[in-house]
Amino acid sequence: MIILITGTPGVGKTTVSGLLAEKINAYLIDINKLVDEKHLYTGIDEEKGYKIVNLDDLFNELDHIVGEIDYLNEYILIEGHLSHLFEKSDLVIVLRANPDMLQGRMKTKGWNKPKIRENIEAEAIDICSYEAFEIHGDKVNEIDTSNVSPEEVVGLIIDVIKGDKKFPVGSVDFLEYLGKF
Ligand code: ADP
């Protein structure tokens, strides 16, 4: 089973994916690490401090890795804010976080104001879920991490994997925060 874990930077993808991978014994692919290790970028946006990822190279690399794993019988977690752009999936989880809370988490990470604002606006208008839904349709679930622990988020994802719960796109709405920052 291929599970994509996506969401705005700071929502908790890395934290939750690490715990989840341990719990369900999954093969974990961290896209940020992969991009670094395999140099899957064309340059760096100095102003924002982002790597400009070569998406074709990234998808080729992911295809290659996934092709070597028996994913019909094993779990593969692909984690990163670009993961939902990969077309192969059985399930997509978009982690969400209330923009006020997200701002706090981003400040802790020491990000500058423009970077924080850009990401918070992306969260308010729900870019990841929108893009994910266009590619993966009903496989996409969105989970609000604002008032639950990472362990509880893992529990909710396991419920979704088992088919016991569903969190369709549209169940989390932070539009009221748009323009507030
Ligand atoms: P991302 O990989 O999405 O950029 P990280 O996992 O690196 O996010 O960072 C998220 C931060 O938010 C971590 O410091 C984590 O401890 C914190 N956090 C607080 N509550 C949660 C939660 N419910 N789920 C995930 N992360 C949380």
Side-chain angles (χ1 to χ4, degrees):
M1 183 178 206
I2 301 175
I3 304 168
L4 311 180
I5 312 264
T6 187
T8 306
V11 289
K13 298 179 295 296
T14 310
T15 310
V16 166
S17 300
L19 292 170
L20 177 63
E22 226 170 83
K23 193 122 193 179
I24 63 172
N25 197 20
Y27 190 99
L28 176 59
I29 302 169
D30 174 336
I31 288 189
N32 286 336
K33 267 195 202 158
L34 190 68
V35 164
D36 273 346
E37 281 168 14
K38 303 276 177 178
H39 294 275
L40 308 175
Y41 50 93
T42 52
I44 295 177
D45 183 327
E46 296 293 348
E47 198 185 322
K48 292 179 184 156
Y50 295 137
K51 291 203 172 67
I52 301 160
V53 176
N54 183 327
L55 288 175
D56 285 339
D57 284 356
L58 172 63
F59 299 150
N60 283 337
E61 189 61 38
L62 288 174
D63 267 330
H64 175 72
I65 298 172
V66 162
E68 302 221 309
I69 301 170
D70 175 16
Y71 59 82
L72 292 180
N73 294 304
E74 297 200 57
Y75 291 113
I76 305 181
L77 297 185
I78 305 179
E79 177 259 311
H81 73 281
L82 299 172
S83 65
H84 61 276
L85 301 177
F86 186 52
E87 291 199 341
K88 289 190 182 133
S89 77
D90 296 292
L91 181 65
V92 183
I93 304 286
V94 183
L95 297 184
R96 307 289 312 277
N98 173 304
D100 275 334
M101 193 161 286
L102 198 56
Q103 187 183 37
R105 290 188 198 170
M106 288 175 178
K107 278 186 181 160
T108 311
K109 286 188 174 210
W111 291 5
N112 63 34
K113 269 193 180 169
K115 190 170 171 180
I116 291 179
R117 187 173 312 120
E118 182 183 348
N119 279 298
I120 281 180
E121 288 194 351
E123 180 62 11
I125 61 174
D126 200 3
I127 288 183
C128 285
S129 302
Y130 178 79
E131 287 180 352
F133 188 76
E134 279 205 315
I135 300 169
H136 305 276
D138 291 340
K139 292 178 200 166
V140 185
N141 285 255
E142 48 180 2
I143 296 181
D144 186 356
T145 69
S146 308
N147 298 306
V148 282
S149 69
E151 288 77 11
E152 284 170 306
V153 176
V154 168
L156 293 173
I157 297 176
I158 292 174
D159 288 341
V160 175
I161 292 172
K162 286 190 197 150
D164 291 345
K165 279 193 180 140
K166 268 189 176 182
F167 302 98
V169 172
S171 41
V172 185
D173 184 355
F174 294 131
L175 262 179
E176 65 183 290
Y177 291 90
L178 193 58
K180 210 184 135 190
F181 293 92

